[in-house]
Each structure stands twice: as structure tokens, then as C-alpha cells.
Amino acid sequence: MTEMNENPLDLLPEVLLAASAVLGLLLGSWLPRVRQWIVGLLAAVACVAGIVAASPAAGEPATTAFGEAFTVDPVTNTSRIVILGGTLLVLGVSFRPLKGDARETEFYVLVQLAALGALMMAGTQDLLLLAAGYLLASIPAYTLAGFRKDGPGTEAALKYYVVGALLGVLMLTGITVLYATGGGTGYPMLGEAFRDAPEALVATGSIGLLAGVLFKAGGVPAHFWVPDAVQGSSPPVAALLTTIPKIGALAALFRLGDVVFADSTLPWPALVAVLAAASMTLGNLGAFFQQDVKRLLAYSTISQVGYLLMPVAVAGRADLAQQALLYYLAAYAVTNLGAFAVVCAFPHAHTLEDYRGLAKERPLLAASLVICLLGLVGTPPTAVFLGKLEAFSAAFDGGYAWLAALAAANTVASLFYYLRWIVPAVSRSGPSMSAAGDSAARMTAYTAAAISLGLGIAGGPVLDALS
Amino acid sequence: MLSALVFAPTAVALLLFALPRRTTPQVFRAVWVGTSALELALVIAVWAGYDADGGLQYEQRTRWIPSAGVGYHVGVDGLSLPLLALTCLLFLACALYSLREDRRVREFAALFLFLQTTCLGLFAALDLILFFVFFDLSIVAMYFVIAGWGHQQAARAALKFFLYTFIGSLALLLGFIGLYLAASPHTFDMVELTEQNPLAGRSAYAALVLLAVVVGLAVKTPTVPFHTWLPPAHVEAPAAGSAILAGVLLKMGTYGFVRIAMPMLPEAWRRYALVLVVVGVLSVLHGALVALAQTDFKRMVAYTSVNHMGYIVLAVGAAAATADSSEQARSLAVTGAVTQMVSHGLLTGALFLLAGVLYERGRTYDMGSYSGVAGAAPAFAAMTGVAAFASLGLPGFSGFIAEFQIFTGSLGPQPLATALSVLGILLTAGLFLRALRQVFTGPLRLPDAPGTPRAFPDIRTHESLAVVPLLALAVVLGVAPRFLLDVIEPASRSVLELLAR
């Protein structure tokens, strides 16, 4: 361990977000209720500043900060940009429904803390810091899920919390076992130690660890909470739950596969590949006949985790893995948030049928919805298509051609349920939905759809920066 | 020039949305027809400047996503130029035909203009991912055409169409990724991949990639047994949509065979050519026999498409036979295949538009409900007759030239398969004659509409403006095909050279 690298500026985005959360909390207790939106603005400023701070470092070689616990490399920097950008979009859709709410400040502070937890998970290379990041990402999210204090919200929070607490304990147990096996918690050191460690111990520990990280990612088999928590919580919170923690969790998983388990006795790639296959398939099957849009998106996000796990499975085995994962993460985050922004724009439309006639009332919003949903399918030229192309290529290259073929089959299956939503939205018959709604959320939806399309058409420079 | 040709329709489509909401439909129609006419003029200019022996021309190449091996690369040669021209002509015909369309004209026109971009882009693309992008977008646009303007069962047919062709497109994508990873350096550029022939000597890998590519293209073509999406999609689509679907979209599959599968996977193609020959013959016979059993005019035409596409698959399969057949015969088969794509586009386009005329008058495609229509609508009857005779391959029409070349080219390498396929002509002759007799001869009888029986007005100006040029061109190609063949022949020779590696 060196003494030289305790430079807080390496962690500037994280520090900014934490400072803004604390400052917001203080500010919120002094501001009158009608001006609490200032806290939201402060959060947005912190996110923008964080993105600005992380951008120049995105292409730079890796350094570590605070001992060996935190690494600042392209994975961290990209995750920072994606998480903070995603948080901005979440703030965009929360602005109107939260305005004048008695707990407006608390909401913004919790959102920032949850994002901070995701940031920590993305950058850590120490198991204990990973556990801390897990808790920081989880606890504000539990609260947010039940933020409305109504029946479904309480159920959502409770289920989310119980599953999260259980899997969190499993994760801590796993970390303990790995610590005992490897004699440390830093990734590089563990990577060396696991090269000839007893397989049973590594397997036990890593399964516990996976339980926790997969819970945050919302992947099979730790996915039970997703549909209920997403359906029960308010639309902005649902948007957050399905996007922000996943980014941190998948970046963390990638790092684990790349550094810790790359040379271990454990068949890690095969294990992750099986989880990816299960996640995409079960998520799709679950989504097929959903009537509630949030529930449909919840299952869709489970299946998307499956695709995201493909590059994770071949981490360190395929050249494309890193850029595939990072690009797909960015593409997924913006596309998924775009779809949720449309949901947020119509807080009273719950089922697919409620969206009938959207194209007649709000053609631009319908176009955004179509772009985002087809984007989630992976239709070119949206960003997710390029992400899928990279992920499929990486899986092929890493020797998992079967996984790529299965993913392609799953993509077709997913088309079915996304179309079930697109069809009523663009059809002209039947009663049309009311044009009233949330203008901030509409703007967010347009922005997200535009980014999703733009990132797909002009993905070249972005991919260059990631590789 | 080529990029302008490809993207101009979409730019106009976006402009349509910028017009104020109260603009009268006439404006949209005028803009649509004007744009399509301009596109046709552009493609004629491209043709005029094309040197038949010059290989790839009008090439444009810019960096797009270099780190993923994807570039923006377009160009034309003798394989793509005829199809580009066909696309522009058919879209103009559809624009003219739709002059009476009054349901949501702005969206309809915009969708067709966008669809035109995807079709032109696909035939011009020289990068696999660019090809794929247009391939997928054409599916999306056609889905909305069928779902938004189709008949009663349109939603279901559109979904089936989308799911089937999307499965195909993903198989295609996997094949493309296979090619990409095999090449070093990794690239999706078609010209480089063709030169590199990256899968030479890797038979198992090449077989898998070929399987993925061929399945993808076969779904789109469609060949037996992947054709089941086609009849419902055709029957439920609006007339202009059916014409484009059959005339242009089906060609994407067969074009992919000669553009991608044959030159990039020559060894594997030669090894498995027999499978394609068998599939081709099955498509020919199955398509013709099932068409014979139809009572619905449009569905019958749809099945004859399966039959006609079968000839193309037969030809590209037979062309791979080596050694014992002459170079010239095989070249003839490939040339015939490309000619058939053009010819089928013209004739099926015309037939589907005529089916639309029939439906517009009688509100049904059921041939049993009509009789003696020739008396009421002689011009309509004449056009349908011409289209039907041309489609069954009568000398003097483009279909004859194409099928003659295909059979002459394939007979040497694959005598049995070719002999069986010739039966297909007989069957199509029978079914078209039967349909003509049923609908046009005998005492006048029209479908029972609710209320009074309506008159059957003869073909209108805008309808004949759409159909007559297609038929006229089919005759011109049948009588004087040199101008087309001169363009195709050098290209098909070079495909065979690539295949012989």
C-alpha cells in the first residue's frame, strides 16, 4: 500500500454527490416548502459537475485511490458518467410529481445516496468496500420504494427490503469465506490467491457474493423483488430501481470476473453464462402476458440483465468484452429511462390498453415510446442494437456462441411483448387517452429517445473511448 | 449521389411532418408523387452514368463506427443497379396508385418514403451492418404499413410478419458476426470480406455461418418451409403495401444470396448447393400447387410469389455446380436469377395493384363472387390478363426471358431438379387461366354488397398510371432485354469467379 494515492480529487464525482446530498439535507430543513425544488436543482448540478469531472479521465489509464480499494479506470469513469446521467434523467421525471411534496428534499437526498452507492460499487476493487457500496445503494432504495406510503408502495418496500436483507447477509457471508480463503479483500491480491485455492471454498464464497450483486442487478435467481417493487413504487422510483443500481452492480461483476476469478479454479465464465441465459429467458417469459406497463418493463429489465451479463461472462477472454458491457450499459440506461419517462408522463395510465391512441394525442411522445421500445428490442439504428452487436460479438469471440444464439432467439421473443405495447399506442381506434400530463417528464422522454437514437447512429467515438 | 438517392425520401418524409396540421391531403400526395418521380429520375441518371464493365461504381465510404468494424460504405454494380431502379419505379407506381388514399395520408406517405429509403439503402449497402440496419428498418416500416392500413385481420398478420422476418434477421446477424470475427482485421465491410474470403478452409465454422445467413435470407425470400408468414401478410396489407412487399422486400432475400452468401462463403456454398436446389424445387412446386388451391385472388398471387422465388433459389443453387457444366451455363443461371428478381417485381407489383382495384370495387378478393367482369371493365380485364400471362412466363414478356435463362443455365448441372421445376410453369399457367376465366368471363355477377348492387367502374386514370408502366416495362424487357442484361452479365460473371475460389 502506498501513501501517495489518498487524493480526494480522484473521487471527485463521488465527493460532489455526497456533498450535495448532505448540503441538500441541511438546505431542505431551512427552505420553505415552495422552494424545496432548489435541493433538486442542487442535485442536478452535482450530477452535471460529476459528469464533467469524470469525462476527461474516461480514456486515461487506470489509477487507484485510497490504498488499493478504489480504482479509477475506464470502467469506473464510464459507469460514473452513465450513473450520473441516469440520475439526471430520474431527477427530470421526478421534478413535477414531487413539486411541493412534504418530503421533497428527502426524496432528492435519497436518490443521490442511492446513486452514490451505485458509484461505489462500480469503482471498488475491495470486497469490503463492495459490501459498503451495496448497503449504501440498497437502504435509500428501500425507503424510496415505499416513499408514497400507500398499500402497494409498502408492499414493494417490504418485499424489496426482505429480499435485500437476506441476500445482503448471504453476500457478507460469502465475503467472509472469500476473505478466509484468500487472506485479504483486495481484488488483485485475491486474484493471485484464488489461482490455487480450494475450489469448494472459492465456490461457496463466490456464490454468496453473487447473490448480493445479482440482487442489485436484478438478475435471476435474485430477481423476485423486481416486478413487485417496480409495480408498487411510484414511476420515477421505478425508473431509478431498474436502472441506476444495475449499472454499479454489473460494473462490479465485470471487475470480479476480470480480476478476481479470471484465473481461479472456479468455472466463473460458465457460471455467469448460465445466469445470463436464465435471466434473459425467464425475464422474457415473465413479460409475455403482463398487462401493467411497469410490470412489463420490470420483466423486460430482468431479461436485459441477461444480455448485459454476456460480456461479463467473457470478461478477460474476449477483447470486446469491456467496451461491449460499457456501451450496452449506457445504451440500456438511456433507453430504459426513456421508456419509463413516457410512463411518468402519464401517471394515471397503468395498463397497456390505457395507452391506446397515444399517437393521436401526443405523436412526438408516441414516437419516443416506439423508439425506446424498439430500442430495447435492439432494432437498428438505436443504441441498444450496437450494444447487442458488441455483446453478441464478444460472446462469440469468448467461445460462447450458444449464448449468442440463445440471446438472438430471446430478442425475437422479447419483440412480442414490446409490440403488445406499441400496437395500442400507435393505433387510432378506440378512445384516445387524455393529453394532460407531465411536461418535464415529456421533455425527459424526448431527450432520452434522442440520445438513444443519437448514440446508435454516432456510436463510433463513444466506442473508441471505451476500448 | 447515391447517398442522396437513398436518404432523400426520408428527408422529405420528415418535412411532411413539419407541414402544419391543416394542410390538405392533396399537398401530401403531390409531394409524395413528386419525390418518387424525382427518385426515379435520379436512378435513371445513375444508370446513364453507369459503365457496365466497370465493377463497383458511385462508391462512397466514410468512417462510421470504426472500433466496431462498421463503416458507411455504399456503391452500385450490376447486381444492385437493376434492383435500385425497380425500387424507384415501384414506389412511384404505389404513390400514383395511392392518389385516392384518404386515410391518414400524411403518415401513409411518410411511411412509404421512409420504406423507400430502407429498400434503396439495402441494395446500395456495401457493409454488412449497414445492410442489416436497412433490412431491419424495412421490417419495422412494413409492419406499420400492414398494421395501420390493412384489412380486418391486419394486426395479427402484421405481428406474424414482424416476428418471422425478425427471427430471420437475427439469424442473419449471427451469421454476420461470424464473418466479422473470422476476418482479420475484424470488419463488416462487404468488399473486404469478399476479397479476404475469411472462412476458406474452415469447413465447420463456414457451414454454421452459411446456415445462419441462408436461414435469415430464406425467411425473407421466402422459400419453403419459411414462407408461412407471406400469405396473411399479403392478404391483409393494403394494395400498395402488398406491391412493395412482393416487389421489393422479397428481393432482399434473393439479393442477399448473390451479394453476400455466394461471394463470401464460396466453399460452403458449393458444398451445400444441392440443399438449395432441393429447397428451390420444393418452393416452386409447393407454391404453385398451393396457389392452385386458392379461391382468394390475392392469396393466390401471394403463393405464386413463393413459386417464382423458388426459381431464383434453384438458379443460385445450380450455379454452384462445378466441373461438368460450362461456365456460360452457370453464368446464365445467375443472370436469369437477377432478371427474375426484376421481372417478378414488375409483374407481381402490377398484379397486387390490380388486386387492390378489384377489392376497392367489390370489397372481396373471393374469385367465386365475381363473374363476367370483362364486360363491365374491359381495360381492367385487359391489364389483368396481360399481367397474368406475363407472370406465367409467356414469351414476349420479361418473365419468359428470366425463366428461360434460369432453366437453360440450370438444366446442365441439375437436370432432374430443372425438369421438375418446369412443371411449375404449367401449374401457374393453369391457375392464372382459371382465375381469369372465373373473374372475367361469363355473365356479369358482382359480390352482394349490403343494399343495392354497385356498378363496377372501369380502371381509373391514377390506377392505370400506376399499372401500365409496370406492364409496359415487362413487355420491353421481354422484347429487348439487352439493356438490362448488359448490366447484369458482367456482375454475374464476377460472382461466379468469386464462387469458384
Side-chain angles (χ1 to χ4, degrees):
Chain A
M1 292 225 183
T2 53
E3 299 296 315
M4 298 297 291
N5 60 4
E6 296 190 1
N7 178 8
L9 281 182
D10 289 337
L11 292 180
L12 192 57
E14 286 81 4
V15 170
L16 279 171
L17 201 60
S20 145
V22 174
L23 193 64
L25 200 57
L26 294 174
L27 211 59
S29 19
W30 295 101
L31 284 170
R33 186 179 288 180
V34 287
R35 276 200 226 121
Q36 299 223 332
W37 54 268
I38 293 177
V39 179
L41 188 68
L42 181 68
V45 171
C47 289
V48 173
I51 293 174
V52 171
S55 302
E60 309 244 314
T63 54
T64 54
F66 288 91
E68 299 282 299
F70 198 91
T71 172
V72 183
D73 60 3
V75 178
T76 308
N77 275 314
T78 315
S79 308
R80 278 170 170 171
I81 296 172
V82 176
I83 290 171
L84 293 172
T87 311
L88 268 182
L89 292 176
V90 171
L91 291 173
V93 295
S94 333
F95 181 69
R96 188 56 61 91
L98 263 296
K99 196 163 186 196
D101 191 283
R103 291 171 296 148
E104 195 177 352
T105 300
E106 287 87 329
F107 182 87
Y108 290 128
V109 170
L110 288 171
V111 167
Q112 290 178 80
L113 291 176
L116 185 59
L119 285 177
M120 296 312 290
M121 285 184 83
T124 178
Q125 52 170 1
D126 187 288
L127 291 178
L128 287 178
L129 195 57
L130 181 66
Y134 171 87
L135 291 174
L136 184 53
S138 300
I139 293 167
Y142 302 149
T143 325
L144 284 172
F147 199 75
R148 280 198 299 202
K149 291 190 184 170
D150 55 358
T154 312
E155 191 196 331
L158 191 66
K159 190 153 189 184
Y160 190 26
Y161 172 70
V162 169
V163 176
L166 174 70
L167 296 175
V169 170
L170 266 180
M171 178 181 179
L172 287 174
T173 316
I175 289 177
T176 316
V177 173
L178 291 177
Y179 177 43
T181 315
T185 53
Y187 286 4
M189 179 189 174
L190 285 176
E192 305 254 319
F194 288 166
R195 221 164 266 171
D196 36 30
E199 192 176 350
L201 277 180
V202 180
T204 318
S206 59
I207 284 171
L209 186 62
L210 264 179
V213 185
L214 279 177
F215 164 75
K216 279 281 91 176
V220 172
H223 66 288
F224 310 89
W225 61 274
V226 181
D228 293 316
V230 169
Q231 189 183 10
S233 48
S234 66
V237 174
L240 177 115
L241 292 184
T242 53
T243 317
I244 308 291
K246 273 187 207 315
I247 303 164
L250 285 158
L253 262 185
F254 180 82
R255 217 183 284 287
L256 284 170
D258 199 21
V259 183
V260 180
F261 296 106
D263 306 314
S264 77
T265 41
L266 191 72
W268 173 268
L271 183 64
V272 177
V274 168
L275 289 172
S279 211
M280 61 178 86
T281 313
L282 291 179
N284 272 337
L285 292 179
F288 264 176
F289 297 106
Q290 296 302 331
Q291 288 300 328
D292 187 286
V293 287
K294 276 194 280 174
R295 220 175 160 78
L296 185 136
L297 282 176
Y299 278 108
S300 121
T301 179
I302 298 175
S303 76
Q304 294 285 340
V305 172
Y307 304 123
L308 282 161
L309 284 172
M310 289 167 61
V312 173
V314 293
R317 294 156 59 99
D319 303 334
L320 285 170
Q322 180 177 319
Q323 75 181 51
L325 175 74
L326 295 177
Y327 188 84
Y328 200 144
L329 270 177
Y332 163 73
V334 70
T335 313
N336 187 54
L337 284 171
F340 265 108
V342 176
V343 175
C344 293
F346 295 97
H348 301 297
H350 297 297
T351 65
L352 298 176
E353 273 307 300
D354 290 343
Y355 281 81
R356 187 166 288 282
L358 177 64
K360 195 155 47 175
E361 289 305 321
R362 295 253 169 229
L364 217 50
L365 201 60
S368 306
L369 181 69
V370 170
I371 289 174
C372 288
L373 291 183
L374 286 180
L376 286 174
V377 176
T379 311
T382 56
V384 176
F385 164 68
L386 203 54
K388 274 195 175 159
L389 178 68
E390 293 288 291
F392 286 11
S393 303
F396 246 112
D397 208 15
Y400 284 94
W402 65 268
L403 190 58
L406 183 72
N410 262 304
T411 302
V412 177
S414 74
L415 185 65
F416 173 74
Y417 58 82
Y418 292 119
L419 278 180
R420 283 184 61 230
W421 190 358
I422 293 177
V423 170
V426 299
S427 86
R428 303 290 169 138
S429 55
S432 63
M433 66 191 308
S434 78
D438 180 341
S439 59
R442 276 206 300 276
M443 288 314 295
T444 312
Y446 302 153
T447 315
I451 298 176
S452 175
L453 208 57
L455 205 58
I457 293 170
V462 182
L463 274 175
D464 273 343
L466 296 180
S467 51
Chain B
M1 177 104 166
L2 204 53
S3 298
L5 179 74
V6 170
F7 290 107
T10 296
V12 174
L14 291 176
L15 274 181
L16 285 184
F17 282 104
L19 290 174
R21 217 172 241 262
R22 246 171 265 170
T23 320
T24 52
Q26 272 82 1
V27 178
F28 299 128
R29 293 187 191 116
V31 172
W32 183 13
V33 171
T35 312
S36 305
L38 190 74
E39 288 286 300
L40 185 63
L42 264 176
V43 87
I44 290 171
V46 168
W47 193 305
Y50 179 82
D51 169 22
D53 295 312
L56 276 172
Q57 286 157 54
Y58 296 99
E59 260 189 291
Q60 258 182 335
R61 200 169 192 169
T62 39
R63 290 154 60 81
W64 184 22
I65 311 173
S67 47
V70 182
Y72 176 80
H73 189 184
V74 290
V76 287
D77 66 0
L79 300 176
S80 49
L81 185 58
L83 291 168
L84 287 171
L86 171 74
T87 306
C88 288
L89 183 67
L90 268 180
F91 271 95
L92 179 59
C94 287
L96 288 168
Y97 179 85
S98 305
L99 278 174
R100 284 287 184 101
E101 180 67 56
D102 48 7
R103 290 177 296 167
R104 307 194 297 283
V105 181
R106 183 213 304 254
E107 287 85 351
F108 196 62
L111 212 47
F112 264 84
L113 287 168
F114 176 65
L115 192 58
Q116 186 168 8
T117 288
T118 65
C119 297
L120 292 171
L122 183 125
F123 294 129
L126 288 177
D127 184 280
L128 289 177
I129 291 302
L130 197 61
F131 181 93
F132 183 81
V133 167
F134 288 123
F135 192 91
D136 252 20
L137 287 178
S138 75
I139 302 175
V140 173
M142 187 45 87
Y143 169 80
F144 284 112
V145 168
I146 299 176
W149 285 267
H151 305 316
Q152 291 84 3
Q153 303 283 313
R156 178 182 287 269
L159 183 65
K160 193 172 184 184
F161 160 76
F162 203 137
L163 286 178
Y164 256 90
T165 43
F166 203 76
I167 293 177
S169 81
L170 284 167
L172 199 60
L173 183 63
L174 288 181
F176 288 175
I177 292 177
L179 278 168
Y180 164 76
L181 290 173
S184 69
H186 294 340
T187 179
F188 282 109
D189 192 275
M190 288 190 199
V191 179
E192 281 174 36
L193 281 171
T194 309
E195 275 169 18
Q196 273 195 23
N197 187 13
L199 289 170
R202 300 166 74 177
S203 56
Y205 189 170
L208 278 177
V209 171
L210 183 70
L211 179 71
V213 171
V214 166
V215 166
L217 296 172
V219 170
K220 188 88 181 181
T221 298
T223 62
V224 172
F226 303 111
H227 65 290
T228 46
W229 62 268
L230 179 105
H234 273 309
V235 172
E236 299 302 333
S242 301
I244 294 300
L245 183 56
V248 183
L249 263 60
L250 299 192
K251 308 302 171 297
M252 292 178 176
T254 49
Y255 173 73
F257 285 132
V258 288
R259 168 64 73 205
I260 297 168
M262 290 169 83
M264 290 180 204
L265 296 156
E267 274 183 22
W269 183 271
R270 288 200 307 267
R271 183 171 309 131
Y272 298 102
L274 194 63
V275 178
L276 284 152
V277 171
V278 171
V279 167
V281 175
L282 281 178
S283 298
V284 166
L285 293 177
H286 181 83
L289 284 171
V290 179
L292 193 62
Q294 300 305 316
T295 53
D296 179 310
F297 184 73
K298 207 172 180 187
R299 189 175 278 270
M300 181 192 83
V301 179
Y303 274 108
T304 61
S305 292
V306 177
N307 160 278
H308 283 113
M309 292 293 109
Y311 295 129
I312 299 180
V313 178
L314 166 72
V316 293
T322 42
D324 54 337
S325 65
S326 76
E327 171 101 10
Q328 199 193 356
R330 289 182 289 133
S331 164
L332 208 54
V334 176
T335 309
V338 180
T339 317
Q340 173 76 330
M341 293 183 209
V342 177
S343 155
H344 178 258
L346 296 172
L347 296 173
T348 315
L351 274 171
F352 275 119
L353 292 180
L354 289 166
V357 173
L358 188 70
Y359 184 83
E360 204 257 327
R361 314 288 197 267
R363 295 284 145 204
T364 176
Y365 295 118
D366 182 30
M367 291 185 279
S369 312
Y370 296 92
S371 166
V373 170
F380 172 62
M383 286 182 203
T384 314
V386 169
F389 279 111
S391 185
L392 63 83
L394 209 65
F397 294 104
S398 57
F400 173 74
I401 303 284
E403 280 157 28
F404 177 76
Q405 292 186 84
I406 290 175
F407 289 137
T408 319
S410 313
L411 191 63
Q414 299 288 347
L416 177 66
T418 312
L420 282 172
S421 301
V422 176
L423 288 178
I425 300 230
L426 206 62
L427 289 169
T428 27
L431 67 94
F432 271 119
L433 290 178
R434 205 190 47 163
L436 290 178
R437 179 186 55 94
Q438 171 72 55
V439 176
F440 292 108
T441 60
L444 180 65
R445 187 159 52 84
L446 294 172
D448 274 335
T452 53
R454 283 165 298 169
F456 196 100
D458 205 351
I459 201 151
R460 297 194 178 88
T461 321
H462 70 98
E463 289 160 345
S464 43
L465 271 178
V467 176
V468 169
L470 300 179
L471 295 177
L473 195 61
V475 174
V476 170
L477 283 178
V479 179
R482 271 329 306 173
F483 75 98
L484 179 67
L485 299 182
D486 283 342
V487 168
I488 300 175
E489 273 166 1
S492 61
R493 273 198 299 276
S494 71
V495 166
L496 282 173
E497 276 163 29
L498 293 168
L499 187 63
R501 286 182 292 174

